C-alpha cells in the first residue's frame, strides 16, 4: 500500500519523518499548454532535474503583495499574547460584523499556507492546538449532543482588559446561520496538519497523543457504518464552503473531495500502533471504494454526456447501465452548449434519480490536488477551464459554482435566499480565494500559464477594490452586493498563489501524488517511503 503514503512523508514502524527530498515542480512554469507529462515520474523526481525561472529574478516588491501582507497581519487574532488565527474579514465600512470577526477553521487554511510558505509556522501550530482543545469540549445544540470528533466552525477570543484575561468562545453550529454544523472543518484540520508537517519537517506535533486522538475522533465520525450503499459521505445543505441552502444536499463533490484528501493525509500521519491500525485499515477500504465511485459516477465529459443522453430507465439488476435511474430529460439545456469536446469535470452531486450537473470549483480542484481524479481526468479539468474561460473565470477568478440558478428554480432551491440571488455569492458568484487552489492544480498538472493569466486578472482590481469577499455578475465584474472588504482569505489566497508561482515546491504542502494503491492486492510494509 505504499501508494497511499504521500511522497513527502516517510513512515517507519510507529514513527514518521519528513522525506528530505525537495518537492519542486519548477520547470513546469515554462511548459506549453498541451504538454504530455511523464506520469510515471513523481513530482519530486521531476523537480530534481528542473529549475525555476521565476525564482531567479529578484524584482522590486509588488505593491499588491506588500498591501496583502500588511492586511493579513492586521487580521491576526491573539490569545494570551500568542497568535492563534486570523479573523474572517476586517471590513471597516460595515456596521454589521456578524461572525466575520471570528477565526474560521475553513477560512484560516489559506492564511496558514501563506505563513508556512513565509517560514512562520508558529501561528499554524498554535491554531492546530487551539482548535484541537476546542474539539474536546462537550458540544450541545438545543439539548442535542454532537459527535465527539466534531470540530468548530469558528471561534472568537474575548479580551477582558479589566481582569486581563482571554476567553475563547467556539461555534459548532449553534450560532451559525441555519444552525448547520460544518462537516468540512475536521477535514481541513487534518489537511492543514499534514501541510504543517510537510512544510516544517516537525513530526512531533502530528505524533503527539492529542493530535493522534483528534484525527481518530474525526475519522470515527465519517467512517462509521450505517445504511449507506455508497462510499460517499451524506451531507446536508450548508455544511461546507457553500454555507447556505443551495441544493447541494446529498453527496456534494466538495465534501467528497475533501473527505478523500483528509483520508489520505490521515493515512500518512497516523501511527501504526494498536489504535491507529484499526483506522488505517478502514481508510484503505474507504479510499478504494470512494475513488472508484467518484471517478466512475461523478465524471462528465462529452462522451459520457452523450451516453447519459441515451440512457434507458427502469433497469433492474446489477447489470444495469443507468445505475441511478437518471431520467435523460432531466439534463439541463445549458449543459449541451457548455460541454466542450475537449475537457470534462466532476459534477456537483449524484444520488438516486438525480445528477446535479453544476460545476463546483473547490470540489474539482481538490479532486486534482488529492489525486482523486486520474491523470487523464485532471488534464481534462484544466482543459475545461481553458475552453470555458469566460464562463468560469471571466474578469475576476473564479466561479464557485456554474451556472447560477434563477427564477422559480432559485425560489425553490434556495428558499428565496436574498444573498444567493443569481450570479451572486454562492449562486454563481466569483471568489478570489479560489485562486490558490487553481494555482496549485495548475502546478500539479503542468499548466502554469492558466494560473498566470488568472493571477494577472485578479491583480488588476483585487487590491484596488479592497480585497472583497466575492464578486457578482456573469463575468465577475462587480464587487459583491453584500461582500465584506478586506476578506482575509481573499488576501491570503492571492498571496499563496503568488508564493507558489515563485517557488512551485510550496505546492508540495497540498498536492498528493497519484495513489498506486488504488489497484487491488495491496500490502502495507512496516518501513517505506514514497
Amino acid at each position: 500500500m505504499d501508494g497511499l503514503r504521500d511522497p513527502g512523508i516517510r513512515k517507519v514502524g510507529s514513527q514518521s519523518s519528513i522525506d528530505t527530498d525537495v518537492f519542486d515542480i519548477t520547470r513546469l512554469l515554462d511548459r506549453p499548454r498541451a504538454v504530455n507529462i511523464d506520469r510515471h515520474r513523481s513530482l519530486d523526481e521531476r523537480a530534481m532535474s528542473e529549475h525555476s525561472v521565476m525564482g531567479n529574478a529578484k524584482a522590486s516588491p509588488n505593491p499588491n503583495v506588500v498591501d496583502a501582507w500588511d492586511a493579513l497581519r492586521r487580521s491576526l487574532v491573539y490569545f494570551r499574547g500568542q497568535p492563534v488565527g486570523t479573523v474572517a474579514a476586517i471590513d471597516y465600512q460595515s456596521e454589521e460584523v456578524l461572525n466575520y470577526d471570528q477565526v474560521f477553521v475553513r477560512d484560516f487554511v489559506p492564511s496558514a499556507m501563506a505563513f508556512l510558505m513565509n517560514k512562520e509556522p508558529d501561528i499554524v501550530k498554535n491554531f492546530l492546538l487551539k482548535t484541537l482543545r476546542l474539539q474536546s469540549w462537550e458540544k450541545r445544540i438545543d439539548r442535542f449532543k454532537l459527535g465527539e470528533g466534531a470540530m468548530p466552525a469558528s471561534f472568537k477570543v474575548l479580551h477582558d482588559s479589566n481582569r486581563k484575561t482571554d476567553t475563547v468562545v467556539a461555534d459548532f453550529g449553534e450560532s451559525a446561520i441555519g444552525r448547520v454544523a460544518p462537516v468540512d472543518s475536521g477535514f481541513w484540520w487534518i489537511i492543514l496538519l499534514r501541510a504543517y508537517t510537510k512544510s516544517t519537517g516537525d513530526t512531533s506535533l502530528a505524533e503527539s497523543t492529542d493530535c493522534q486522538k483528534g484525527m481518530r475522533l474525526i475519522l470515527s465520525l465519517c467512517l462509521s457504518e450505517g445504511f449507506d450503499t455508497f462510499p460517499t459521505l451524506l451531507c446536508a445543505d450548508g455544511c461546507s464552503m457553500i454555507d447556505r441552502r443551495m441544493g447541494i444536499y446529498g453527496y456534494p463533490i466538495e465534501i467528497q473531495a475533501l473527505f478523500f484528501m483528509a483520508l489520505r493525509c490521515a493515512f500518512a500521519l497516523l501511527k501504526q500502533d494498536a489504535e491507529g491500525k484499526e483506522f488505517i485499515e478502514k481508510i484503505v477500504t474507504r479510499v478504494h471504494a470512494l475513488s472508484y465511485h467518484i471517478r466512475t459516477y461523478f465524471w462528465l465529459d462529452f462522451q459520457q454526456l452523450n451516453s447519459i443522453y441515451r440512457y434507458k430507465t427502469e433497469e433492474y439488476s446489477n447489470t444495469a447501465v443507468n445505475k441511478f435511474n437518471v431520467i435523460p430529460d432531466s439534463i439541463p439545456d445549458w449543459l449541451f452548449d457548455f460541454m466542450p469536446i475537449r475537457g470534462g469535470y466532476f459534477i456537483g452531486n449524484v444520488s438516486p434519480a438525480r445528477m446535479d450537473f453544476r460545476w463546483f470549483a473547490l470540489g474539482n480542484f481538490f479532486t486534482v490536488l488529492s489525486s482523486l481524479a486520474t491523470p487523464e481526468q485532471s488534464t481534462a479539468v484544466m482543459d475545461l477551464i481553458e475552453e470555458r474561460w469566460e464562463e468560469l473565470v471571466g474578469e475576476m477568478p473564479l466561479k464557485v459554482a456554474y451556472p447560477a440558478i434563477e427564477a422559480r428554480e432559485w425560489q425553490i432551491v434556495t428558499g428565496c435566499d436574498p444573498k444567493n440571488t443569481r450570479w451572486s455569492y454562492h449562486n454563481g458568484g466569483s471568489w478570489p480565494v479560489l485562486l490558490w487552489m487553481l494555482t496549485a492544480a495548475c502546478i500539479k498538472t503542468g499548466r502554469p500559464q492558466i494560473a498566470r493569466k488568472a493571477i494577472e486578472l485578479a491583480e488588476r482590481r483585487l487590491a484596488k477594490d479592497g480585497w472583497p469577499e466575492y464578486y457578482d455578475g456573469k463575468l465577475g465584474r462587480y464587487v459583491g452586493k453584500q461582500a465584506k472588504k478586506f476578506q482575509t482569505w481573499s488576501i491570503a489566497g492571492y498571496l499563496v498563489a503568488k508564493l507558489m508561482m515563485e517557488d512551485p515546491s510550496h505546492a508540495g504542502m497540498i498536492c498528493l501524488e497519484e495513489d498506486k494503491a488504488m489497484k487491488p492486492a495491496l500490502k502495507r510494509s512496516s518501513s517505506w517511503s514514497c
Side-chain angles (χ1 to χ4, degrees):
M1 333 191 146
D2 300 37
L4 271 173
R5 181 69 53 187
D6 109 58
I9 299 179
R10 172 178 292 131
K11 194 86 166 184
V12 181
S14 63
Q15 302 296 318
S16 60
S17 62
I18 291 296
D19 196 315
T20 55
D21 291 344
V22 178
F23 184 103
D24 198 357
I25 323 159
T26 48
R27 191 181 157 207
L28 296 182
L29 292 172
D30 275 345
R31 288 185 184 268
R33 182 188 57 76
V35 297
N36 290 320
I37 302 174
D38 183 355
R39 301 295 180 184
H40 298 290
R41 300 172 65 205
S42 71
L43 294 175
D44 286 343
E45 290 172 331
R46 291 200 297 270
M48 295 299 289
S49 61
E50 298 169 347
H51 66 279
S52 174
V53 297
M54 296 190 69
N56 295 332
K58 295 293 183 181
S60 57
N62 183 320
N64 288 314
V65 172
V66 173
D67 186 54
W69 273 114
D70 177 66
L72 182 60
R73 296 195 187 284
R74 282 188 281 123
S75 72
L76 283 169
V77 172
Y78 292 83
F79 178 77
R80 296 176 183 173
Q82 295 295 318
V84 292
T86 52
V87 293
I90 305 176
D91 191 341
Y92 301 103
Q93 299 175 346
S94 176
E95 294 181 0
E96 282 194 9
V97 176
L98 296 175
N99 56 357
Y100 284 82
D101 62 345
Q102 299 187 26
V103 180
F104 280 80
V105 173
R106 179 191 311 124
D107 293 35
F108 179 68
V109 171
S111 295
M113 296 291 178
F115 286 120
L116 288 173
M117 293 176 188
N118 202 47
K119 307 299 182 185
E120 299 178 66
D122 287 348
I123 180 176
V124 182
K125 184 175 183 179
N126 293 341
F127 170 85
L128 289 167
L129 290 172
K130 176 54 64 180
T131 47
L132 188 61
R133 293 189 182 98
L134 296 176
Q135 182 199 41
S136 65
W137 287 10
E138 182 177 285
K139 301 166 278 286
R140 288 183 179 273
I141 298 179
D142 292 337
R143 303 180 183 179
F144 179 74
K145 185 178 179 180
L146 276 67
E148 190 179 359
M151 280 285 185
S154 63
F155 67 88
K156 184 176 183 178
V157 178
L158 301 177
H159 303 285
D160 188 328
S161 56
N162 294 326
R163 298 182 179 181
K164 296 183 180 180
T165 59
D166 289 345
T167 306
V168 173
V169 177
D171 178 15
F172 290 90
E174 69 271 27
S175 300
I177 296 172
R179 300 303 187 266
V180 178
V183 174
D184 61 340
S185 288
F187 300 153
W188 283 119
W189 188 89
I190 293 175
I191 292 167
L192 185 56
L193 179 61
R194 182 260 171 184
Y196 171 86
T197 306
K198 171 71 178 179
S199 173
T200 64
D202 174 18
T203 62
S204 62
L205 179 62
E207 291 177 349
S208 68
T209 301
D210 289 341
C211 280
Q212 290 289 310
K213 180 182 178 181
M215 282 189 285
R216 293 195 303 268
L217 288 174
I218 294 169
L219 294 171
S220 294
L221 281 178
C222 56
L223 293 176
S224 59
E225 296 178 347
F227 287 98
D228 294 309
T229 57
F230 313 135
T232 40
L233 201 61
L234 183 62
C235 295
D237 257 324
C239 60
S240 60
M241 178 184 176
I242 310 292
D243 60 4
R244 300 166 79 94
R245 182 174 160 190
M246 267 287 290
I248 66 166
Y249 60 89
Y251 307 93
I253 186 62
E254 174 182 335
I255 289 296
Q256 312 315 318
L258 289 173
F259 180 31
F260 183 86
M261 171 72 96
L263 289 177
R264 290 200 60 195
C265 289
F267 185 95
L269 299 171
L270 283 171
K271 291 183 178 181
Q272 296 184 54
D273 53 21
E275 295 176 298
K277 284 184 178 180
E278 177 185 353
F279 286 95
I280 287 168
E281 292 172 0
K282 289 182 178 180
I283 288 172
V284 172
T285 301
R286 194 61 166 262
V287 161
H288 280 258
L290 184 59
S291 61
Y292 173 83
H293 186 90
I294 298 296
R295 291 175 177 182
T296 304
Y297 301 119
F298 278 68
W299 180 250
L300 188 70
D301 55 19
F302 182 83
Q303 182 178 354
Q304 180 63 9
L305 176 59
N306 205 163
S307 297
I308 297 172
Y309 178 70
R310 292 168 50 82
Y311 267 170
K312 295 179 180 180
T313 60
E314 306 303 325
E315 293 181 295
Y316 181 77
S317 85
N318 55 14
T319 61
V321 175
N322 185 2
K323 296 182 184 296
F324 295 93
N325 198 38
V326 173
I327 311 301
D329 286 347
S330 68
I331 301 174
D333 292 339
W334 64 265
L335 184 58
F336 294 103
D337 294 327
F338 177 76
M339 179 58 69
I341 299 296
R342 184 179 72 99
Y345 67 104
F346 293 92
I347 64 174
N349 222 317
V350 175
S351 58
R354 179 190 181 216
M355 297 183 80
D356 182 348
F357 292 99
R358 286 176 293 175
W359 150 275
F360 289 92
L362 192 155
N364 272 272
F365 290 145
F366 266 87
T367 62
V368 174
L369 298 178
S370 66
S371 289
L372 173 55
T374 66
E376 293 75 20
Q377 288 171 334
S378 295
T379 297
V381 168
M382 306 313 294
D383 287 341
L384 179 84
I385 292 172
E386 285 194 318
E387 293 291 319
R388 293 293 177 258
W389 185 264
E390 184 171 336
E391 292 91 338
L392 301 180
V393 181
E395 296 183 16
M396 177 57 67
L398 192 73
K399 289 294 179 195
V400 66
Y402 181 89
I405 51 179
E406 307 180 55
R408 182 60 176 165
E409 184 184 10
W410 165 79
Q411 291 179 323
I412 295 171
V413 172
T414 74
C416 300
D417 185 354
K419 196 167 186 176
N420 269 329
T421 53
R422 63 179 184 173
W423 306 112
S424 181
Y425 201 55
H426 290 136
N427 188 15
S430 298
W431 289 69
V433 64
L434 296 168
L435 193 61
W436 79 267
M437 303 175 204
L438 169 65
T439 302
C442 287
I443 291 173
K444 189 173 188 290
T445 56
R447 308 285 277 274
Q449 73 288 343
I450 298 177
R452 283 200 195 100
K453 187 177 178 181
I455 292 171
E456 288 171 2
L457 277 175
E459 287 183 322
R460 293 175 188 174
R461 290 188 57 188
L462 199 51
K464 187 184 301 183
D465 291 340
W467 307 99
E469 180 182 14
Y470 63 94
Y471 285 76
D472 285 352
K474 284 189 176 182
L475 298 177
R477 181 174 292 172
Y478 306 99
V479 174
K481 58 186 176 182
Q482 294 189 43
K484 299 294 182 183
K485 294 294 186 73
F486 290 91
Q487 183 79 14
T488 304
W489 71 353
S490 295
I491 297 164
Y494 166 73
L495 284 174
V496 172
K498 293 288 286 186
L499 289 164
M500 283 193 290
M501 290 299 285
E502 291 171 3
D503 182 359
S505 69
H506 290 316
M509 292 183 204
I510 199 68
C511 295
L512 298 175
E513 279 293 88
E514 186 182 9
D515 194 346
K516 298 175 184 177
M518 298 299 179
K519 299 180 176 65
L522 307 173
K523 294 183 179 180
R524 180 187 179 94
S525 61
S526 60
S527 179
W528 45 304
S529 66
C530 70

